[in-house]
Amino acid sequence: METIILIAVVLAMIGVGMRLIHLLNAQHDARIAAHHYTDVLPGVGRRGHRKQGHTS
């Protein structure tokens, strides 16, 4: 009898953990969708701007 209760508790805790992870992933996806990035990889391929006329 104790084994059945232990198995039921373990399965219930696994279910609670799965639900928590699902909610956190949904919250994270909502934050990502709300933020609009300007560059795919910021900082990659950027060069310093040179003024027209300097030959340094």
Side-chain angles (χ1 to χ4, degrees):
M1 185 67 181
E2 292 175 7
T3 305
I4 294 172
I5 294 173
L6 179 64
I7 291 172
V9 169
V10 168
L11 290 175
M13 294 304 293
I14 290 172
V16 168
M18 288 173 53
R19 178 72 176 154
L20 179 64
I21 289 171
H22 176 73
L23 291 173
L24 289 174
N25 281 337
Q27 184 181 24
H28 181 69
D29 290 342
R31 286 184 184 169
I32 289 175
H35 186 77
H36 301 288
Y37 293 99
T38 56
D39 293 337
V40 176
L41 296 173
V44 175
R46 292 187 181 193
R47 296 181 182 171
H49 295 287
R50 294 187 179 187
K51 294 182 181 179
Q52 297 278 344
H54 277 124
T55 58
S56 54

